Amino acid sequence: MRNIEIKAKVRQLAKLIERAKALSETTGEVIKQHDTFYSVAKGRLKLRKFESGDAELIYYERPDVEGPKLSSYEKAIIKSEGVQDLHKVLDRALGSTGIVKKVRYLFMVGQTRVHIDSVENLGDFMELEVVLKPEQTPEDGEKIALELMEDLGVEKEDLMSGAYTDLLRQKEIH
């Protein structure tokens, strides 16, 4: 699976949520997430736990650059009864590298997932994930992402690279 991603800092949370509601024509969905990242040779591997007790194991690769970037990923759904055991195995085999706790507002605008995240100990951020159809090129996805970024009022100077876990680790160092 592939998508084009954009991540940015959020300056005016309430205003961005209102724009996302208008563009999606929905009130959105609020999702609490607890992500544990594991040490892997390339890409990133995380176990994302939800309030229901269920989880997703997600492996992804994407460059750490600002602006639109191609991300390829694989995902497995884990039912609640197996989540803790899976975490123990992954932690023992690979070691964990960080934990990210967030409240995510999810809005769908066409084929794009608009995430507005309040990340514990970090702040507010926005992610766009344009889920590419098999026939679409990365350039097609970049065009959609840039247009939506403009519609949401996201400024180019607010674009960022990396993952939340990287930002949290940098914050701990300084």
Side-chain angles (χ1 to χ4, degrees), residues 41-53:
K42 65 176 187 166
R44 298 182 199 280
L45 179 67
K46 65 184 170 187
L47 182 62
R48 170 168 290 159
K49 299 177 199 170
F50 300 101
E51 279 186 301
S52 67

Side-chain angles (χ1 to χ4, degrees), residues 38 100 109 151 170:
Y38 301 95
V100 175
V109 179
D151 291 344
Q170 288 171 3

Side-chain angles (χ1 to χ4, degrees), residues 73-141:
Y73 61 97
E74 299 292 333
K75 189 173 10 178
I77 308 299
I78 314 299
K79 291 297 174 192
S80 59
E81 57 274 2
V83 172
Q84 194 55 38
D85 289 340
L86 178 61
H87 166 68
K88 285 179 189 174
V89 170
L90 289 169
D91 195 43
R92 183 149 185 202
L94 303 172
S96 59
T97 61
I99 293 174
V100 175
K101 296 177 184 177
K102 65 182 174 278
V103 175
R104 168 166 283 175
Y105 296 85
L106 168 64
F107 301 91
M108 290 300 301
V109 179
Q111 70 192 81
T112 305
R113 297 171 59 90
V114 177
H115 301 154
I116 301 173
D117 296 332
S118 292
V119 182
E120 190 175 288
N121 298 318
L122 204 55
D124 298 323
F125 300 88
M126 184 267 338
E127 289 181 345
L128 300 179
E129 292 181 356
V130 182
V131 180
L132 294 174
K133 298 173 185 169
E135 69 276 7
Q136 287 181 303
T137 65
E139 292 77 21
D140 294 333

